[in-house]
Amino acid sequence: MSFFRTFYIIGLLALAGGIVSGQAVTSTYDEDFRLSGLNTYAFNSETREGADPLATDTVTEKKIKDALDTELQSNGYHPPADAASPDFIVSFRVATKDKASEVVERNQVMGSLIVDFYDAQTRKLVWRGIATGVAGREAVDLKLVEHQVENAAKLLLVQFGKDRIGLVGFWKPIERVCERWRFIRSNGLLCMMSELATAT
């Protein structure tokens, strides 16, 4: 299978995963930091404030942690060996909109899972991913949230994988050419692939 065919299929699968789950994933990261050097991780010992929904919901907190742990290890990351320091620290939190504005189309409550990766040595934030999706109707549905958490963890690690290998940066020059020459954008396979690869 050719290089371009491989990346085209990866892009389609990532896009399809977002559509099926009904979740939108975005990310931002420190472009001066080498994300590809991150291999081992540990979870941050969170001290949650009262306004944090997870401060009083330790069951959901554990499910989020377990989902992220599973996806991290499925993608080749692992905790460090005994007494060794990790490469990065994983932190997470959730957010929902205020009651006055959280009900949107079809009376859905939207919630977000925000995951941060910090450089373990400097404690500097190097990557942030946000997965946003439906958390219930009128009020938060804990069973739906549990299902969404698993999907969110998968999608966030897919996005981190793209950011880690610089996939977005690789396609940016092609995207600029396609934007300038619109007839290429509408007909070219590379332009279609660049749109898939740079979509977040």
Side-chain angles (χ1 to χ4, degrees), residues 93-113:
R93 58 191 174 89
V94 298
T96 56
K97 295 184 181 298
D98 294 336
K99 186 66 177 179
S101 61
E102 69 182 6
V103 180
V104 293
E105 293 181 7
R106 293 176 294 176
N107 296 325
Q108 293 177 340
V109 180
M110 306 301 292
S112 297
L113 172 60

Side-chain angles (χ1 to χ4, degrees), residues 6-20:
T6 300
F7 274 97
Y8 182 62
I9 292 174
I10 290 173
L12 286 176
L13 290 174
L15 182 62
I19 293 172
V20 170

Side-chain angles (χ1 to χ4, degrees), residues 8-70:
Y8 182 62
I9 292 174
I10 290 173
L12 286 176
L13 290 174
L15 182 62
I19 293 172
V20 170
S21 69
Q23 295 180 334
V25 174
T26 60
S27 69
T28 184
Y29 59 94
D30 184 350
E31 295 183 358
D32 295 326
F33 185 86
R34 191 169 65 89
L35 293 177
S36 59
L38 301 179
N39 296 294
T40 61
Y41 68 92
F43 281 91
N44 189 40
S45 299
E46 306 283 359
T47 301
R48 303 191 182 279
E49 300 179 355
D52 187 336
L54 297 180
T56 56
D57 188 355
T58 56
V59 173
T60 300
E61 180 184 42
K62 183 178 185 304
K63 288 179 178 178
I64 294 173
K65 182 178 180 180
D66 289 347
L68 290 170
D69 196 30
T70 296

Side-chain angles (χ1 to χ4, degrees), residues 82-193:
D82 294 341
S85 298
D87 296 326
F88 65 104
I89 303 297
V90 180
S91 178
F92 62 89
R93 58 191 174 89
V94 298
T96 56
K97 295 184 181 298
D98 294 336
K99 186 66 177 179
S101 61
E102 69 182 6
V103 180
V104 293
E105 293 181 7
R106 293 176 294 176
N107 296 325
Q108 293 177 340
V109 180
M110 306 301 292
S112 297
L113 172 60
I114 304 161
V115 177
D116 293 330
F117 292 169
Y118 293 87
D119 176 24
Q121 291 187 339
T122 64
R123 295 289 172 162
K124 179 182 178 182
L125 177 65
V126 295
W127 183 85
R128 168 170 290 174
I130 303 175
T132 301
V134 178
R137 294 180 180 275
E138 301 293 347
V140 174
D141 183 335
L142 293 179
K143 289 185 179 180
L144 178 60
V145 167
E146 181 178 349
H147 174 69
Q148 292 287 53
V149 160
E150 295 176 359
N151 286 328
K154 291 180 186 294
L155 293 174
L156 286 166
L157 264 296
V158 167
Q159 184 61 46
F160 177 66
K162 289 169 59 176
D163 295 340
R164 187 175 188 267
I165 64 175
L167 187 55
V168 172
F170 176 84
W171 289 107
K172 277 296 183 183
I174 299 175
E175 186 182 34
R176 285 195 290 269
V177 171
C178 294
E179 182 64 32
R180 183 171 182 179
W181 302 97
R182 294 187 180 278
F183 70 94
I184 298 177
R185 185 184 184 91
S186 61
N187 296 292
L189 177 59
L190 282 177
C191 293
M192 293 171 59
M193 293 168 64

